[in-house]
């Protein structure tokens, strides 16, 4: 019986290398372990084995079964790999030039981000950055956002597991980490590090638990602006925003500030603009950003004396500006990376 088993294992090993299709594999497998297969036949012979030899024989059969199964598994793995390779087509050489010759371009969102950042650079702003993972203190508390504010809800923000420690994100106290919901965090981190005068813009990625639709995405981009010095007034804010809007949307564009509320600015406004040259969007007031004068509570949180310094802050969505400028009516196009879409902005 042992000899028979050895022959079967050897036979399976030999045949294995020549199998190229699943059908071939299944047919061969049936001749070994199918109801009439050679290995099955040997097992049926167990009945005739004397009682005292049964344990030893059983062991041999099991060993043979394991060996055969290992070979079958390897054959199957090989067949699957070959099928996958066939689906993937010929291997690609990533060093070859692209078939439709020409250079790539910046993503349309990056193009608008660069345009905005460069505009602010030219009028004396520098670029600041901070991490996308934040703590509640820098995202909310230091910005005077109260503990019961809806933005702090699990339903609105992405919190990280309590057990996680993020070594490169400094904590203010034992507090939760989350993905930043706005770039206003950079106001706080900047003011903690630099002394006024401070004049920064902070472009970056933000995250909110929005249900994706034509104008909402769980991941989007903002540009934050912050100017802190002695005697900064609302007039400075208005002049800067006018300059921004006229540069981006054309000299005929007009702006207006509408009273609003943010916990970190007082007074607070929504800024709308209006342009006669915007195609379908012409001659409508379009809301594009939140802004206001830095709230004294925020200055206190970062150790800047609100009796000496004042400042303004603004924040806007880059996608919103891009959609208006590029005539895109669904935010999701920006994230699908379909070259037919992207090429229109080359
Ligand atoms: N952080 C606010 C938002 O995401 C925008 C804002 C920034 C408002 C700065 C005022 C000042 O909606």
């Amino acid at each position: 019986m042992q000899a028979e088993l050895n022959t079967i294992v050897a036979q399976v090993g030999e045949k294995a290398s020549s199998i190229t299709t699943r059908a071939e594999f299944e047919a061969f497998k049936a001749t070994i372990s199918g109801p009439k297969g050679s290995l099955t036949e040997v097992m049926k012979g167990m009945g005739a084995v004397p009682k005292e030899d049964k344990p030893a024989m059983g062991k041999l059969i099991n060993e043979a079964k394991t060996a055969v199964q290992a070979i079958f598994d390897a054959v199957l793995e090989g067949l699957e790999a070959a099928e996958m390779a066939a689906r993937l087509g010929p291997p690609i050489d990533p060093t070859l030039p692209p078939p439709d010759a020409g250079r790539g371009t910046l993503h349309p969102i990056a193009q608008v981000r660069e345009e905005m950042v460069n505009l602010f650079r030219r009028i004396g702003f520098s670029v600041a950055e901070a991490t996308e993972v934040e703590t509640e203190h820098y995202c909310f508390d230091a910005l005077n956002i109260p503990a019961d504010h809806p933005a702090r809800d699990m339903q609105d923000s992405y919190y990280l597991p309590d057990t996680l420690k993020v070594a490169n994100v400094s904590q203010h106290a034992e507090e939760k980490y989350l993905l930043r919901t706005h770039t206003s965090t950079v106001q706080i981190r900047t003011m903690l590090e630099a002394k006024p005068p401070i004049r920064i813009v902070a472009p970056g990625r933000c995250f909110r638990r929005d249900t994706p639709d034509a104008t909402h995405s769980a991941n989007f981009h903002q540009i934050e602006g912050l100017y802190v010095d002695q005697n900064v007034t609302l007039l400075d804010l208005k002049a800067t925003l006018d300059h921004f809007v006229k540069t981006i949307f054309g000299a005929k564009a007009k702006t207006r500030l509408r009273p609003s509320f943010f916990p970190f600015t007082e007074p607070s406004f929504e800024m709308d603009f209006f342009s006669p040259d915007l195609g379908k969007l012409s001659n409508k007031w379009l809301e594009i950003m939140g802004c206001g004068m830095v709230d004294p509570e925020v200055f206190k949180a970062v150790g800047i004396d609100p009796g000496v310094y004042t400042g303004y802050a603004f924040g806007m969505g880059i996608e919103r500006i891009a959609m208006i400028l590029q005539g895109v009516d669904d935010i999701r196009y920006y994230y699908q990376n379909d070259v037919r879409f992207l090429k229109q902005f080359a």
Side-chain angles (χ1 to χ4, degrees):
M1 201 181 241
Q2 174 156 22
E4 259 176 279
L5 289 171
N6 287 345
T7 314
I8 293 171
V9 174
Q11 200 195 347
V12 171
E14 236 165 75
K15 173 81 183 175
S17 55
S18 67
I19 294 177
T20 54
T21 67
R22 271 182 199 262
E24 234 180 292
F25 171 71
E26 292 302 338
F28 178 63
K29 193 174 154 191
T31 69
I32 305 298
S33 53
K36 294 215 164 63
S38 49
L39 191 56
T40 317
E41 291 301 332
V42 178
M43 281 157 71
K44 283 181 195 158
M46 270 295 271
V49 171
K51 206 174 168 216
E52 62 276 18
D53 292 342
K54 274 202 165 118
M57 281 323 297
K59 189 163 174 263
L60 286 177
I61 288 184
N62 272 334
E63 279 167 10
K65 271 166 74 180
T66 312
V68 165
Q69 191 56 50
I71 299 169
F72 282 164
D73 287 348
V75 171
L76 255 188
E77 228 174 88
L79 288 176
E80 276 163 15
E83 284 166 6
M84 175 61 88
R87 274 206 299 277
L88 290 175
I92 292 166
D93 176 356
T95 64
L96 286 175
D100 51 347
R103 289 193 291 145
T105 50
L106 280 182
H107 188 277
I109 293 294
Q111 290 179 28
V112 173
R113 183 196 63 210
E114 292 304 286
E115 191 179 338
M116 291 164 74
V117 165
N118 288 336
L119 180 167
F120 284 110
R121 273 185 202 275
R122 288 196 295 272
I123 55 172
F125 286 76
S126 52
V127 175
E129 276 183 315
T131 49
E132 290 166 5
V133 170
E134 256 304 347
T135 71
E136 291 183 280
H137 178 76
Y138 299 98
C139 199
F140 301 129
D141 297 286
L143 286 158
N144 196 35
I145 299 177
D148 59 358
H149 194 281
R152 304 183 67 139
D153 209 276
M154 291 285 178
Q155 258 74 56
D156 291 303
S157 302
Y158 291 106
Y159 285 88
L160 273 59
D162 283 342
T163 45
L164 200 81
K165 284 273 164 272
V166 188
N168 63 333
V169 180
S170 58
Q171 277 177 302
H172 180 77
E174 267 298 305
E175 49 181 335
K176 284 194 191 325
Y177 290 105
L178 74 163
L179 298 180
R180 70 178 173 198
T181 57
H182 53 179
T183 43
S184 299
T185 56
V186 191
Q187 288 189 36
I188 302 302
R189 294 212 178 254
T190 303
M191 286 192 282
L192 284 171
E193 276 179 12
K195 296 223 173 322
I198 293 169
R199 202 180 337 209
I200 55 119
V201 283
R205 212 177 257 266
C206 306
F207 307 83
R208 289 183 198 172
R209 271 186 195 265
D210 274 325
T211 313
D213 63 18
T215 55
H216 293 87
S217 163
N219 165 210
F220 58 100
H221 301 80
Q222 286 190 331
I223 288 194
E224 191 82 7
L226 174 71
Y227 178 29
V228 181
D229 201 349
Q230 294 182 18
N231 306 316
V232 177
T233 69
L234 194 54
L235 195 60
D236 298 306
L237 172 62
K238 174 83 164 105
T240 306
L241 298 185
D242 277 355
H243 173 71
F244 165 73
V245 164
K246 285 185 197 302
T247 309
I248 293 273
F249 296 110
K252 287 190 214 143
K254 286 190 203 122
T255 65
R256 84 177 171 199
L257 294 178
R258 222 163 7 89
S260 182
F261 175 78
F262 297 101
F264 35 93
T265 46
E266 183 57 38
S268 302
F269 305 93
E270 297 285 347
M271 194 204 73
D272 306 334
F273 86 101
F274 173 103
S275 162
D277 309 316
L278 271 186
K280 269 200 281 188
L281 296 175
S282 299
N283 300 323
K284 284 184 204 160
W285 286 103
L286 304 172
E287 179 186 316
I288 52 167
M289 73 171 90
C291 59
M293 302 304 292
V294 178
D295 193 291
E297 289 303 318
V298 174
F299 280 141
K300 284 185 211 157
V302 294
I304 290 180
D305 184 349
V308 178
Y309 293 103
T310 52
Y312 66 66
F314 57 83
M316 63 189 127
I318 301 181
E319 280 82 348
R320 173 108 176 101
I321 306 289
M323 286 170 81
I324 297 172
L325 271 180
Q326 296 167 341
V328 172
D329 58 11
D330 192 321
I331 197 170
R332 289 167 291 197
Y333 285 125
Y334 288 119
Y335 313 117
Q336 289 161 349
N337 284 339
D338 183 330
V339 283
R340 290 168 303 180
F341 173 76
L342 298 176
K343 269 188 177 164
Q344 299 175 45
F345 308 98

